[in-house]
Amino acid sequence: MTYPATRLRRTRSAAWSRALHRETILTPADLIWPVFVTSGTGVTEPIKTMPGVNRLSVDMLAKAAKEAASLGIPCIALFPNTQPERRSEDGAEALNPDNLMCQAIRALKDAAPELGVLTDVALDPYTTHGHDGLLTQDGRILNDATIEVLIGQSLNQARAGADIIAPSDMMDGRVGAIRDGLESHGFDLVQIMAYSAKYASAFYGPFRDAVGSSGHLKGDKKTYQMDPANAREALREVELDILEGADSVMVKPGLPYLDIIRSLRDSFDVPIFAYQVSGEYAMIEAAIAAGVLDRDRAILEALTAFKRAGCAGVLTYHAPHAARLLG
Ligand code: PBG
C-alpha cells in the first residue's frame, strides 16, 4: 500500500510515539569505559590530543571507578602508560606482577568490586619499539614467540583480578593459546574479548600519545593489523577466534567500520563490541570545540549507531558523559 494509506511520518509525529516505535535503546549498561593509568599519586594528567581525557594515577582511578559504577557503567578497560625506564625490547614489564596494570586492577577490585575489569593484552605499552609483539633483529614480528609472552601477560592480569582478557595484538592463534593458559591455571571463568577485526588504522594516533608509544613506534602495524580495505577477512578472523574460545569479539575502529559490525552480526551469534577509538573521540571533540556540533546529541547519536549496527556494547571515552545523559 502506498501514499496516502502509508505515511511513515504518522508514527514519528509525537514524542510518545517515537518512543514506542524506537528500535534501538542505548543504556549505560552498553558502555565500557577505557581509562589510561599512570604512575604516582594524585595525578590527573590531561592528554593533549584527547581533550577531556586524563591519565589517572591508581588512587585517582579508584575514585573514578566508584563514579562510573554509580552511573551504571558495567565495565572499565585499562591501559597503562608505562614509565619509560620500565620499557624494553622484549616488553618484560608486561609479566611483572606489580606492574602498573596489576596495581590498577587490584585498586579497581578494591574500590568498586561490582565493576567488571577488562585488560588489554599486547606488548606495545611495554616495548621500547612500540610494537605489539616481539621483533627479530631486522624488525619482523615473531608471532609464535609473542604468543608465549601474551599467555604470561594474560595470567599475570588474571591473577591480579582481571575479568575480561582482551588481546589486541592480532597475532595468529593467540586466543586459543590464552584460553588454554587460563583453563590450565584455574581461570575458567575469566572471559576473552578478542580484538578480532582490528584494522591498521590512522584513528589510533591519540591513543599512542596517551600510552606514550607514539614517539618511538618504528614503522607501522600493517603486517599484523587488518587492511582497512578488507571486509570478508573480518569474517575469517572472527570465525577463528570463536573456534579458539573467544566469549565476545571486537571491531575496531568503530564508526568507519559499521559495515563490518553489521556483517558479523548477520553471520555469527557471538556478542560483538565496537571500540570507538581515540581518533574518533578526538574528531567529535574537535567539532564540538569548533562550535559545529551539539555535544550531547552528537555523542549519543554515534553511540546509538553502534547498537543499531548490531553491537552488544561499545568501548568509548565518552562513557561517563553518555551515562550521565542517559541516566
Ligand atoms: C594496542 C592498542 C591500540 C589501541 C588499543 N590497544 C593502538 C594500536 O594498536 O596501536 C587503540 C585504542 C584507541 O585508539 O583508542 N595494542
Side-chain angles (χ1 to χ4, degrees):
M1 195 75 83
T2 53
Y3 179 82
T6 302
R7 292 177 187 264
L8 292 177
R9 288 188 54 230
R10 258 182 228 128
T11 53
R12 280 177 220 146
S13 59
W16 66 263
S17 180
R18 290 191 293 274
L20 191 63
H21 292 90
R22 193 156 295 136
E23 299 175 26
T24 307
I25 311 285
L26 182 71
T27 77
D30 298 318
L31 308 176
I32 298 176
W33 183 28
V35 180
F36 299 106
V37 191
T38 194
S39 45
T41 45
V43 182
T44 299
E45 187 177 52
I47 298 163
K48 262 200 247 52
T49 50
M50 300 179 74
V53 176
N54 301 303
R55 296 187 197 92
L56 303 178
S57 54
V58 170
D59 56 321
M60 302 307 278
L61 169 73
K63 283 189 196 158
K66 284 186 186 156
E67 202 202 335
S70 74
L71 289 167
I73 294 171
C75 185
I76 285 189
L78 293 173
F79 296 94
N81 177 28
T82 307
Q83 304 95 300
E85 65 276 13
R86 292 187 170 272
R87 298 184 194 221
S88 58
E89 262 310 288
D90 63 0
E93 177 68 5
L95 304 175
N96 172 5
D98 202 33
N99 66 19
L100 199 50
M101 180 66 113
C102 292
Q103 292 176 29
I105 298 167
R106 288 191 289 264
L108 271 188
K109 283 290 157 194
D110 208 40
E114 70 274 35
L115 270 186
V117 178
L118 180 152
T119 53
D120 200 75
V121 165
L123 299 183
D124 55 315
Y126 312 95
T127 52
T128 37
H129 46 71
H131 279 287
D132 292 23
L134 301 174
L135 297 183
T136 59
Q137 292 286 357
D138 55 347
R140 279 177 303 115
I141 287 275
L142 284 162
N143 190 95
D144 297 11
T146 297
I147 288 179
E148 293 309 312
V149 188
L150 299 179
I151 296 169
Q153 181 182 19
S154 303
L155 290 172
N156 193 33
Q157 295 173 351
R159 285 188 189 105
D163 299 297
I164 307 179
I165 300 293
S168 70
D169 55 285
M170 290 299 278
M171 297 301 118
D172 287 324
R174 90 283 205 207
V175 171
I178 291 171
R179 187 71 265 162
D180 280 351
L182 292 170
E183 293 298 314
S184 59
H185 288 80
F187 296 111
D188 47 308
L189 293 183
V190 170
Q191 301 176 31
I192 295 179
M193 181 187 290
Y195 284 74
S196 299
K198 176 173 178 179
Y199 288 86
S201 172
F203 292 95
Y204 307 150
F207 172 96
R208 292 179 188 167
D209 173 34
V211 299
S213 69
S214 56
H216 40 258
L217 179 63
K218 286 192 201 127
D220 55 46
K221 300 189 175 183
K222 290 179 184 169
T223 71
Y224 45 107
Q225 299 180 347
M226 282 182 60
D227 184 337
N230 292 359
R232 290 188 297 274
E233 191 183 345
L235 296 169
R236 301 184 69 197
E237 283 285 2
V238 164
E239 184 175 22
L240 285 172
D241 287 349
I242 294 172
L243 291 173
E244 289 177 32
D247 300 283
S248 55
V249 298
M250 194 199 293
V251 174
K252 177 182 173 197
L255 231 40
Y257 294 83
L258 289 185
D259 60 322
I260 307 298
I261 296 168
R262 170 46 59 193
S263 85
L264 294 178
R265 173 75 288 146
D266 290 343
S267 304
F268 301 103
D269 281 331
V270 69
I272 301 164
F273 290 83
Y275 198 143
Q276 184 187 43
V277 298
S278 55
E280 297 176 69
Y281 173 88
M283 284 199 307
I284 293 174
E285 286 301 318
I288 292 165
V292 298
L293 286 184
D294 176 272
R295 160 174 262 114
D296 298 351
R297 289 185 57 210
I299 291 171
L300 293 183
E301 184 176 329
L303 293 175
T304 301
F306 290 111
K307 284 211 76 185
R308 192 194 61 233
C311 280
V314 191
L315 287 87
T316 173
Y317 300 99
H318 281 127
H321 187 69
R324 241 171 257 121
L325 293 174
L326 295 168

